[in-house]
Amino acid sequence: MHPPIDYESSEEALDRAVQLLRPAKAVAVLTGAGISAESGLATFRGAGGLWEGHRVEDVATPRAFLRDPELVWRFYNLRRANLAAVKPNPGHLALVELENRLGAGFTLVTQNVDGLHQAAGNKNVLEIHGTLRRVRCVCCERVTDHGVEPLADLPHCAACGALLRPDVVWFEEPLPTDIWDRSVSAAASCDCFLVVGTSAVVYPAAGLIDVARMDGADVIEANLDRSAASSRVDVLLLGPSGTTLPELIKRLH
Ligand code: BV8
Ligand code: ZN
């Protein structure tokens, strides 16, 4: 693990990142809302990170859903509607190319619930915070995938009539065990760990960076600005991931 070095130029940072990534046989990637920003989806903490004046941490919680399910569904139905209008950007496509290059040595762990990595063509995607495309019954736990089709303002279960909730992980909820365990083992066994478009403030997701570092992986970050991860990475590629990732993958050849 090298102390993080502030490269004089993005050229130097890119060259360093290529040196670390090119020989890697096992690569794990952690993505956040930033990779979808250039597809037109708002990030959580950009522009003040407020939605209708609410902090996401106050809407994406079980208590908020108990208190005001209409408000929470308005938040999620709006995000589902946005999804219908967006598509993967070159940053997503660069990660598909990386998976094609590495095959089984590639694991993509995403905090995003927008499904854009799968829409781009990635296969080994671990959605540690669930997905906007699925809903779950609060009573019979039945899970159904509705893609991005519009849902009722307050959708109810076709099987038992109880209220449905988005099949996402809210704050103060545990992550899906199997998916989380696979994410940790991918971070612990990779030669190179990429962290893309995340403020790295939400745990346990952000802890994957430290799992990778402690197991001796080189860590490359791609972000528009410095993040809470930046002091813990070997190389920081500053800029929009729709530009930096394709540039990085192109130089691997
Ligand atoms: C858990 C799904 C334990 C829903 C999300 C008190 C009580 C309980 C828990 C806690 C507590 N205090 C803290 C915690 C832990 C808590 C947490 O970390 N809170 C934070 C706010 C401090 N975590 C949890 O609660 C987790 N669960 O701990 O459970 C437990 C265990 C057992 C039993 C019971 C409980 C659950 C966390 C998951 C929450 N769900 N999403 C939904 O989407 O609606 S989190 C949500 O925010 C996202 O999924 C994402 O993971 C997260 C962070 O957002 P980012 O993706 O990083 O986006 P952000 O806007 O922050 O940053 C964007 C970045 O992109 C920026 O850096 C920007 O510079 C960059 N960028 C912008 N444009 C570009 C770009 N980069 C490149 N190119 C560009 N073009
Ligand atoms: Zn039901």
Side-chain angles (χ1 to χ4, degrees):
M1 184 63 204
H2 327 268
I5 304 167
D6 266 339
Y7 288 91
E8 290 307 308
S9 77
S10 57
E11 270 305 304
E12 283 175 304
L14 266 169
D15 288 346
R16 182 80 187 112
V18 169
Q19 276 172 1
L20 298 179
L21 184 56
R22 183 180 279 131
K25 294 281 173 282
V27 172
V29 185
L30 173 68
T31 60
I35 196 169
S36 297
E38 289 160 85
S39 294
L41 291 180
T43 63
F44 286 86
R45 289 163 193 86
L50 292 181
W51 174 79
E52 286 192 5
H54 300 277
R55 285 176 348 119
V56 172
E57 287 82 4
D58 299 334
V59 178
T61 69
R63 266 177 292 168
F65 190 64
L66 271 180
R67 188 176 58 238
D68 190 348
E70 283 87 354
L71 172 86
V72 174
W73 264 112
R74 207 164 53 246
F75 175 57
Y76 284 95
N77 273 331
L78 177 73
R79 289 171 64 195
R80 287 171 55 84
N82 291 343
L83 268 194
V86 302
K87 59 182 182 34
N89 66 62
H92 293 106
L93 299 175
L95 293 183
V96 177
E97 213 182 311
L98 187 58
E99 181 168 25
N100 292 340
R101 178 185 166 90
L102 288 159
F106 178 91
T107 304
L108 175 50
V109 181
T110 187
Q111 302 175 86
N112 299 338
V113 294
D114 58 32
L116 286 180
H117 288 304
Q118 297 93 322
N122 274 116
K123 301 280 177 278
N124 189 13
V125 182
L126 299 173
E127 292 178 312
I128 54 171
H129 291 161
T131 174
L132 286 172
R133 293 161 192 261
R134 286 195 310 266
V135 291
R136 188 170 81 233
C137 176
V138 300
C139 185
C140 71
E141 302 267 304
R142 191 165 173 246
V143 173
T144 43
D145 187 321
H146 289 269
V148 287
E149 78 192 38
L151 298 174
D153 291 355
L154 208 55
H156 284 78
C157 177
C160 76
L163 194 53
L164 295 175
R165 58 163 284 175
D167 194 23
V168 299
V169 178
W170 279 328
F171 289 98
E172 297 151 39
E173 288 191 320
L175 276 59
T177 314
D178 169 53
I179 290 176
W180 178 245
D181 291 348
R182 285 157 60 196
S183 304
V184 173
S185 63
S189 56
C190 69
D191 310 314
C192 189
F193 190 81
L194 261 63
V195 49
V196 181
T198 182
S199 56
V201 299
V202 171
Y203 282 81
L208 291 173
I209 300 160
D210 305 298
V211 168
R213 286 177 66 220
M214 272 163 333
D215 284 88
D218 294 310
V219 184
I220 300 168
E221 180 181 23
N223 199 311
L224 208 50
D225 299 313
R226 294 183 71 83
S227 73
S230 300
S231 61
R232 296 150 39 207
V233 304
D234 291 288
V235 193
L236 169 56
L237 302 178
L238 272 176
S241 50
T243 305
T244 55
L245 289 185
E247 194 51 47
L248 173 65
I249 304 307
K250 188 173 79 177
R251 294 183 187 207
L252 290 180
H253 300 303

